[in-house]
């Protein structure tokens, strides 16, 4: 009974999280084309070989911001997705540049509080035109890489033009407490 109550609480919390707005342009069997309007995101970066290692450090810094470590001292609701821009290093064992962002909720878009941590900043992200591939489970480094490569291959096979294969985004939608039906995406941007 306790497990069921915990599951229902997690499901309720997941369903109530505000998500970054976007418009679907088209769908295929393996990916979706979307446009995200220009919005504000709270952001930080980290150099690492591992997506998972970098994500742990960055998430902590961004969570502190929404937990009240900002110039207004206010708590801000968690949003979805948590995005990570992955800019691969030059070689197989080089550090990658990872940039994690939380979408700033609509209630704070006009005037978000300023982060206290100097490694965290408010990003004015321009409109993004992306191709998104969805997959499920607890994503590890190999899962992000596999799905980004599969999306790139699908786009090339479909004859999509003007795609940026120099870097990609990962997007996670669930709290660490969600065990089943976890939703993850990789995004490749249209130039």
């Amino acid at each position: 009974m306790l497990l069921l109550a915990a599951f229902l609480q997690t499901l309720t919390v997941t369903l109530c999280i505000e998500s970054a707005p976007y418009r679907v342009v088209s769908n295929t069997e393996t990916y979706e084309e979307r446009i995200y309007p220009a919005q504000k995101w709270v952001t930080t970066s980290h150099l690492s070989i591992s997506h998972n290692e970098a994500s742990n450090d960055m998430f902590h810094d961004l969570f502190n911001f929404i937990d009240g470590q900002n110039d207004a001292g206010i708590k801000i609701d968690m949003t979805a997705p948590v995005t990570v821009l992955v800019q691969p290093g030059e070689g197989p064992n080089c550090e990658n540049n990872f940039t994690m962002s939380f979408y700033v909720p609509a209630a704070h878009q006009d005037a978000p509080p300023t982060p206290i941590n100097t490694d965290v900043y408010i990003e004015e992200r321009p409109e993004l035109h992306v191709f998104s591939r969805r997959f499920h489970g607890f994503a590890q480094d190999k899962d992000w890489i596999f799905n980004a490569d599969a999306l790139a291959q699908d786009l090339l096979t479909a004859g999509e033009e003007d795609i940026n294969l120099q870097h990609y985004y990962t997007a996670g939608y669930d709290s660490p407490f969600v065990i089943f039906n976890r939703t993850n995406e990789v995004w490749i941007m249209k130039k």
Side-chain angles (χ1 to χ4, degrees):
M1 190 66 162
L2 202 52
L3 183 60
L4 179 60
F7 172 74
L8 291 174
Q9 180 181 7
T10 300
L11 181 61
T12 301
V13 169
T14 301
L15 293 176
C16 295
I17 289 179
E18 181 180 348
S19 291
Y22 64 88
R23 178 173 54 86
V24 175
V25 175
S26 67
N27 278 305
T28 73
E29 197 172 298
T30 60
Y31 63 86
E32 185 171 79
E33 184 177 356
R34 302 176 183 160
I35 295 178
Y36 286 83
Q39 295 285 314
K40 292 182 178 116
W41 297 68
V42 60
T43 300
T44 192
S45 296
H46 190 79
L47 292 172
S48 179
I49 292 175
S50 166
H51 183 287
N52 288 10
E53 178 186 300
S55 292
N56 289 336
D57 293 338
M58 293 183 297
F59 189 91
H60 179 73
D61 288 343
L62 294 177
F63 185 81
N64 285 342
F65 168 79
I66 67 169
D67 198 38
Q69 289 185 16
N70 53 65
D71 68 346
I74 61 172
K75 292 187 184 245
I76 298 169
D77 290 338
M78 185 66 197
T79 58
V82 174
T83 65
V84 177
L85 175 62
V86 180
Q87 296 172 294
E90 294 292 323
N93 293 320
C94 294
E95 289 183 321
N96 302 306
N97 185 351
F98 296 99
T99 303
M100 179 180 278
S101 302
F102 291 0
Y103 168 67
V104 174
H108 299 283
Q109 276 290 315
D110 289 339
T114 301
I116 291 172
N117 181 340
T118 57
D119 291 333
V120 176
Y121 58 95
I122 301 299
E123 172 189 5
E124 302 233 5
R125 189 180 286 179
E127 178 180 272
L128 288 182
H129 194 150
V130 304
F131 296 95
S132 174
R133 175 187 171 93
R134 182 169 288 172
F135 65 100
H136 301 285
F138 278 95
Q140 300 298 315
D141 288 350
K142 64 180 175 53
D143 302 310
W144 297 119
I145 293 167
F146 172 84
N147 281 283
D149 183 59
L151 176 56
Q153 292 306 315
D154 288 347
L155 294 170
L156 292 171
T157 300
E160 289 291 348
E161 295 182 6
D162 296 326
I163 54 175
N164 186 339
L165 298 177
Q166 301 302 310
H167 50 270
Y168 61 95
Y169 279 93
T170 65
Y173 287 83
D174 302 297
S175 109
F177 304 110
V178 173
I179 306 299
F180 303 105
N181 299 319
R182 296 181 62 80
T183 300
N184 311 292
E185 295 175 343
V186 290
W187 300 347
I188 290 178
M189 289 180 287
K190 191 167 188 169
K191 292 181 184 176

